[in-house]
């Protein structure tokens, strides 16, 4: 068995520096049953929740605002992180280009919710 075949090295800056669109979100690695996603975006992502999976956000660049259903917001600056528990309705938004990592279950189910008061 060649262990080195399963070892991959990457660079976060090189992955996001050429993203020019308002929204890109992709898996950059997996560990056991979890994945690490890199998101680069400006704007607002729809209201949603993950019924059976927690989600941890870590901001690398910009400012990530996570709005919660109770009208509260969590604001994350670079190097700050927060875990959103399974089942919590939320949406992410940013007025500036924001780069963040998201740790979640590889098979996380996302349920989108239409809010009538928006």
């Amino acid at each position: 068995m060649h262990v080195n075949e399963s070892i991959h090295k990457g660079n976060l800056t090189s992955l996001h520096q050429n993203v020019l669109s308002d929204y890109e979100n992709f898996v950059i690695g997996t560990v056991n049953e979890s994945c690490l996603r890199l998101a680069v975006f400006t704007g607002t992502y729809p209201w949603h929740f993950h019924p059976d999976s927690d989600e941890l956000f870590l901001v690398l660049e910009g400012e990530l605002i996570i709005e919660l259903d109770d009208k509260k917001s969590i604001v994350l600056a670079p190097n700050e992180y927060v875990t959103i528990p399974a089942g919590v309705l939320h949406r992410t938004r940013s007025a500036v280009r924001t780069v963040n990592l998201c740790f979640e279950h590889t098979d996380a189910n996302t349920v989108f919710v239409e809010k009538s008061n928006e």
Side-chain angles (χ1 to χ4, degrees):
M1 179 172 147
H2 297 285
V3 175
N4 289 343
E5 291 176 11
S6 63
I7 298 174
H8 301 280
K9 179 181 175 182
N11 183 289
L12 294 174
T13 302
S14 66
L15 287 175
H16 72 76
Q17 69 184 359
N18 294 324
V19 174
L20 302 176
S21 63
D22 285 341
Y23 181 81
E24 290 284 336
N25 186 325
F26 50 92
V27 174
I28 62 171
T30 59
V31 176
N32 303 319
E33 295 85 30
S34 297
C35 66
L36 175 60
R37 302 180 74 81
L38 179 70
V40 180
F41 79 102
T42 304
T44 303
Y45 193 72
W47 286 101
H48 66 283
F49 66 94
H50 309 281
D52 302 311
S53 180
D54 297 339
E55 193 173 24
L56 187 147
F57 293 94
L58 168 64
V59 173
L60 302 176
E61 174 185 305
E63 178 183 76
L64 181 65
I65 301 165
I66 302 173
E67 295 179 335
L68 304 174
D69 191 34
D70 62 4
K71 305 285 186 202
K72 293 182 182 175
S73 293
I74 300 165
V75 180
L76 298 176
N79 300 311
E80 293 183 325
Y81 64 91
V82 68
T83 299
I84 304 299
V88 173
L89 184 62
H90 64 283
R91 73 175 176 182
T92 54
R93 67 179 172 87
S94 181
V96 297
R97 182 181 193 269
T98 297
V99 179
N100 70 273
L101 296 174
C102 181
F103 302 86
E104 65 184 0
H105 194 277
T106 303
D107 296 327
N109 183 29
T110 302
V111 178
F112 292 98
V113 175
E114 188 73 33
K115 289 190 58 157
S116 59
N117 61 349
E118 293 296 316

